Amino acid sequence: MSEINKENQNQNFSIDDFDHEDDLWTDQAENNDENLPDLELPLSENEMNSEIISSNENSKQEEDISQDIYLEELKKESKTEKLTMEESEIKNADIEQKIVASEVKAEIIKANKEENSANQEQSIDEIEQIKRQLIQQQEEISNNINLLVKERLEELENKKQNLEITIEKLERRKERINREMKSSFAGISQDLAIRVQGFKDYLVGSLQDLAAAAEQLELSPPPTQTWENESPPVTPENERGKNSNPQFVEKSFKEETRIIRRLLDQYRTKPDYYGPPWQLRRTFEPIHAERVSDWFFSQGGRGALSSMGSRLQNILIASAIISILYQLYSDRTRVLILADTPEKLGEWRRGLQDCLGISRSDFGPSRGIVLFETPEALVQKGDRIVAQEDLPLVIMDLDDDRVSLSLLKFPLWLAFAPQKMVQSQDYYY
């Protein structure tokens, strides 16, 4: 800006100097006239005057022309200078506008930066606040969960303690009731009733066996007493051949007794988990072997056994008995199972399949095992099996302690008595 002002001042100075152009030219002309030498020409005065006048006029014309030219040049120069000054002013204005725009832009950028920084700080504060809130909520949730878990654990501990206390009370009550039953008249009478009922069942079974043996005897008129024809005496071996029903308690059936004991020892000491069908495939404990041996040798294959407390354990004992009978009598053995609910029959079917390795095809009216819900249908089926000279085994799993006596006429039957027997004064025959 200072350089441009200096140039403008110089130009103004030069223009002011040229305002006195007429004075300069006139002074210069006078000086020239004075400097000219005095020439002595042989001219007349008129000629001399004319020539002087003409020369003065020519010189004035030349001076006018030169002054016009110079003025035109000065005008041109002043115009150019004016144009340059306007252009410089325009440029200065543009520069000033650019400077102002840049300053405004810088201020806008600065304001934006300050606003962005303020927004960032605000957003950071909001994020930190949200983070603190989330941490606080998480702590509250964890505390609530810990409280809930602690309360639930305390409730479970209290329930466990209450159950243990009630179990102890029930066990003590059971022991007290057992002691009272053993020492009181009611307990002794119930025990006697159970024994009398068992002896009664044994007598009924023995009478039925005796009646069946009598029916199989061929009675003929006694032969005449002659010396030539004497009838041979009847031996126990002949009676054994005629009687087809199994009698495991008789002394003459030593071979069957030996086979039964051998199979029981095999099931107990050397279980075969992948044996052929109709052979026991499960672990056989001594208590199971004792129950099976008692049923074969003490009850003669006809009697009730105390329940093991679980239907699966009862099924295991029945499976051992079925396996032994299949070893002795093969396909002649037909198993008839009586239960009062379909659920029990389903458990018996699955348990026998698992213990004996048999399939669903071994269950049916014309094959190995038949399932019944009513005693009447079982009795009819048992009669047909006996008529076919096969050996039916009746297994009873009933909640009621009353049993139809028509089921006790078959040569082999097994019932599982519940552990807690309720005294009953009436019997169902």
Side-chain angles (χ1 to χ4, degrees), residues 162-423:
N162 294 329
L163 288 174
E164 289 177 353
I165 292 168
T166 53
I167 289 168
E168 290 178 358
K169 289 181 180 179
L170 291 173
E171 288 179 352
R172 291 175 184 174
R173 185 178 178 185
K174 179 183 177 183
E175 292 176 357
R176 186 176 68 253
I177 291 170
N178 289 331
R179 287 195 301 268
E180 290 177 356
M181 288 181 66
K182 289 180 180 178
S183 60
S184 63
F185 176 76
I188 295 171
S189 61
Q190 184 177 1
D191 192 11
L192 290 173
I194 292 170
R195 292 183 181 181
V196 169
Q197 183 67 26
F199 183 69
K200 185 178 180 180
D201 294 339
Y202 173 73
L203 289 178
V204 171
S206 299
L207 291 174
Q208 288 179 353
D209 293 339
L210 183 61
E215 289 177 358
Q216 291 178 0
L217 292 176
E218 294 180 0
L219 298 177
S220 59
T224 58
Q225 295 289 334
T226 58
W227 295 100
E228 293 81 5
N229 187 12
E230 291 183 357
S231 61
V234 177
T235 60
E237 287 78 6
N238 293 331
E239 290 182 359
R240 179 183 172 185
K242 293 179 181 179
N243 189 7
S244 61
N245 293 329
Q247 299 291 331
F248 302 108
V249 296
E250 293 183 4
K251 295 181 180 180
S252 58
F253 287 84
K254 292 182 180 180
E255 183 65 23
E256 286 81 353
T257 303
R258 185 180 64 81
I259 293 172
I260 292 169
R261 294 189 184 279
R262 179 178 60 80
L263 290 174
L264 289 175
D265 293 335
Q266 178 183 347
Y267 295 158
R268 185 171 54 85
T269 58
K270 298 177 182 179
D272 188 4
Y273 300 104
Y274 302 98
W278 300 104
Q279 181 177 341
L280 189 65
R281 295 186 177 187
R282 290 290 172 263
T283 303
F284 202 62
E285 301 293 338
I287 186 172
H288 303 140
E290 183 181 356
R291 297 290 177 90
V292 175
S293 178
D294 180 65
W295 185 79
F296 271 109
F297 303 122
S298 298
Q299 299 180 1
R302 299 167 55 83
L305 297 176
S306 298
S307 176
M308 296 291 293
S310 171
R311 185 167 287 106
L312 295 176
Q313 297 293 324
N314 297 337
I315 292 171
L316 179 60
I317 293 172
S319 299
I321 293 171
I322 293 170
S323 178
I324 292 171
L325 292 176
Y326 260 84
Q327 292 290 332
L328 293 175
Y329 302 105
S330 186
D331 295 336
R332 286 187 60 202
T333 305
R334 300 293 302 278
V335 183
L336 308 177
I337 298 175
L338 176 63
D340 49 6
T341 59
E343 290 79 9
K344 289 182 181 180
L345 293 176
E347 291 183 12
W348 274 94
R349 180 180 60 79
R350 290 189 295 270
L352 292 174
Q353 286 180 356
D354 184 55
C355 293
L356 297 175
I358 57 179
S359 61
R360 293 179 67 91
S361 60
D362 295 313
F363 293 84
S366 61
R367 51 183 68 88
I369 300 174
V370 189
L371 306 176
F372 296 95
E373 292 186 28
T374 58
E376 293 80 7
L378 189 147
V379 170
Q380 293 177 3
K381 183 65 178 177
D383 292 337
R384 288 196 294 268
I385 291 172
V386 171
Q388 295 173 1
E389 296 183 356
D390 287 335
L391 186 63
L393 169 62
V394 179
I395 298 175
M396 291 172 279
D397 184 8
L398 304 172
D399 292 334
D400 195 358
D401 57 350
R402 294 179 297 179
V403 179
S404 176
L405 285 179
S406 59
L407 298 173
L408 306 179
K409 68 180 180 180
F410 297 106
L412 296 174
W413 59 270
L414 169 64
F416 290 98
Q419 290 182 349
K420 295 182 180 180
M421 302 237 354
V422 180
Q423 186 176 359

Side-chain angles (χ1 to χ4, degrees), residues 49-88:
N49 291 326
S50 62
E51 286 179 3
I52 290 166
I53 291 167
S54 61
S55 62
N56 288 329
E57 289 178 358
N58 291 328
S59 61
K60 286 181 179 181
Q61 290 178 358
E62 289 176 0
E63 286 176 1
D64 293 333
I65 293 168
S66 60
Q67 285 179 358
D68 294 333
I69 293 168
Y70 185 71
L71 289 172
E72 290 178 359
E73 290 178 358
L74 289 175
K75 288 179 181 180
K76 289 180 181 178
E77 289 178 0
S78 63
K79 287 182 180 179
T80 54
E81 288 177 357
K82 287 180 181 180
L83 291 173
T84 54
M85 288 177 66
E86 290 177 356
E87 289 177 358
S88 63

